Amino acid sequence: MSDDSGDDARRHVRAWLPHLAVLGLVLAATVWLVLVTAPVHQALLLAAALAALTYPVLFDPIHRRFVRWFSHWEDGQRRYAAALVSTTLLGAGVAALLLTIIWALVGGIQTTWNALLGLALHDQAQIHALVDLLVDRATTLLRLYPDLHIDSMQLRQYLLSTLEQTSVGPAFLNYLVTGTGSFIAQTAFTMLTVFYLYSEGPQLGRLLITWLPLSPPQRHLLVRRFNATATHLLLGTLGRAAAHGVALGLLATLIAGGSFNGVLVALITTTIALLPVVGPTVAWLPLASILYSSGHVTEAASLGLASIAATWLIDHCARLLASALGTGDNWLSFLLFISVVGGVIAFGARGLIYGPGAVLAISIAASLLPLLYGRRDRTGAVDGNGSA
């Protein structure tokens, strides 16, 4: 009996040993890769979240058009070209936003051009003068929102460290060698990673999906769920916040006249409105309070009522969009709220992207459960939320 037990044990070991060896090699390679990429993990995580959130609304439509327009190209060439165009558009959008911020704070086209020229030529006097002006304007605006707890000295040091390294090439090489660098170098690394994720991400996604024990209709449902959730999170966070910012900026300009800078109000409101529910109110209430305390009671009341109406309209449109996408679940909105708040507390501005990215990941992971373990009818279709 003991000999039979020993033979069974040896057979089990021989049967499982190759599998354990393969799994051990995969685990060791994964740990190795994690250790190697640890110095740049924040840029990689940011790029992954950006690529996932913008894929269905930016890369996918461009790639589909390239498939129609350039059918004679190889698929790899179309993906590469679509990724290049998508990354360029994304970078141009970020650059346009930064230029708008500088223009709004500096206060003139000629002054903005001189500031940009000084940055390009690394003119230290121009850079320090620009930093002083930006800090002064930002401090004046941030007095309206003391709960943001932004220290002017820390802001000055951050701007100096960022603007003094405006040469992308050397800063990028320094970032690759040391793992630390300026905002511009980290942005360049992030955009390069986004490009490769756009270009090779669909192929990697198809490879991962084929390993899942799902039928073709279930795989299609999972892809559709990913696209809908990513679109909802992108438009329901950045799009919704931008709409609140533009609305309050216009209202402040039209109602308060020259009392407030509409562009600055729009920028700060967009940032605050990223926090759902309370964000828009926190944005317009200090402005109305200033108008009221300065004796402009009618303007204060008008700004408050118009802001409430605009907030309701924008949020109502966001709910309609979520309902049309099939992503209007209450738990998703709540999870988005706590992920944005937690992301900002833990990672600062990056948390605005990390949070929705994490919600997208957990939402897709949760969608696998009914697909794999949901009740099936006689035809093999999945009942309930996982219906194929």
Side-chain angles (χ1 to χ4, degrees):
M1 181 68 69
S2 61
D3 291 340
D4 292 340
S5 299
D7 290 339
D8 290 341
R10 283 190 288 272
R11 282 196 296 270
H12 279 86
V13 170
R14 283 196 296 269
W16 278 100
L17 191 58
H19 301 285
L20 293 175
V22 171
L23 293 175
L25 287 173
V26 172
L27 179 61
T30 303
V31 172
W32 190 1
L33 182 62
V34 169
L35 292 175
V36 169
T37 57
V40 293
H41 73 280
Q42 289 190 351
L44 293 176
L45 186 60
L46 182 62
L50 272 175
L53 289 169
T54 58
Y55 173 87
V57 297
L58 185 58
F59 173 81
D60 191 48
I62 294 175
H63 181 249
R64 289 178 184 274
R65 284 174 172 78
F66 276 34
V67 170
R68 293 197 303 267
W69 296 343
F70 308 107
S71 57
H72 57 284
W73 287 10
E74 295 181 358
D75 184 58
Q77 292 177 321
R78 288 194 296 262
R79 289 202 317 270
Y80 187 93
L84 182 60
V85 173
S86 302
T87 308
T88 302
L89 290 176
L90 183 61
V94 174
L97 177 62
L98 293 177
L99 288 176
T100 302
I101 294 174
I102 294 176
W103 169 73
L105 291 173
V106 170
I109 296 178
Q110 185 62 43
T111 310
T112 303
W113 170 253
N114 293 335
L116 294 177
L117 189 62
L119 291 176
L121 297 177
H122 304 286
D123 187 333
Q124 293 297 314
Q126 284 277 7
I127 291 174
H128 281 264
L130 177 60
V131 168
D132 290 339
L133 182 59
L134 292 177
V135 171
D136 180 67
R137 298 290 177 84
T139 301
T140 301
L141 182 65
L142 291 171
R143 287 196 188 101
L144 302 177
Y145 306 97
D147 292 335
L148 293 179
H149 299 292
I150 298 178
D151 183 76
S152 59
M153 293 302 298
Q154 292 179 348
L155 180 62
R156 180 185 300 276
Q157 291 300 321
Y158 175 76
L159 289 174
L160 281 175
S161 64
T162 298
L163 298 180
E164 285 180 344
Q165 301 182 56
T166 53
S167 181
V168 176
F172 183 64
L173 291 176
N174 178 68
Y175 180 63
L176 291 181
V177 172
T178 65
T180 58
S182 67
F183 169 79
I184 294 177
Q186 296 185 39
T187 301
F189 185 85
T190 300
M191 297 308 295
L192 180 63
T193 307
V194 168
F195 165 77
Y196 280 104
L197 289 175
Y198 278 153
S199 178
E200 305 302 327
Q203 209 169 15
L204 178 61
R206 284 192 294 269
L207 179 63
L208 293 175
I209 288 179
T210 57
W211 281 92
L212 297 175
L214 300 175
S215 65
Q218 290 172 331
R219 293 171 186 170
H220 175 71
L221 181 65
L222 186 63
V223 172
R224 190 173 63 186
R225 177 70 178 180
F226 167 81
N227 290 334
T229 305
T231 302
H232 166 73
L233 291 175
L234 184 65
L235 298 180
T237 53
L238 298 179
R240 170 187 166 277
H244 281 299
V246 171
L248 187 56
L250 289 174
L251 290 175
T253 302
L254 295 174
I255 296 175
S259 300
F260 306 111
N261 185 311
V263 177
L264 291 179
V265 169
L267 291 172
I268 197 68
T269 301
T270 298
T271 303
I272 297 175
L274 284 166
L275 301 179
V277 184
V278 298
T281 303
V282 173
W284 67 258
L285 192 57
L287 304 181
S289 299
I290 290 177
L291 290 175
Y292 182 82
S293 61
S294 59
H296 299 87
V297 179
T298 303
E299 288 83 351
S302 300
L303 180 62
L305 292 175
S307 299
I308 292 173
T311 298
W312 178 87
L313 180 61
I314 293 171
D315 289 343
H316 179 68
C317 292
R319 286 192 296 269
L320 290 178
L321 176 63
S323 178
L325 293 171
T327 54
D329 307 316
N330 290 329
W331 72 269
L332 188 63
S333 299
F334 175 71
L335 195 60
L336 177 62
F337 170 71
I338 61 175
S339 68
V340 169
V341 174
V344 170
I345 292 174
F347 304 103
R350 292 187 181 93
L352 301 175
I353 304 298
Y354 289 166
V359 173
L360 176 61
I362 192 63
S363 177
I364 300 306
S367 298
L368 286 172
L369 298 179
L371 292 177
L372 290 174
Y373 307 112
R375 294 181 300 173
R376 300 174 182 272
D377 58 23
R378 295 180 181 178
T379 64
V382 180
D383 252 350
N385 293 331
S387 58

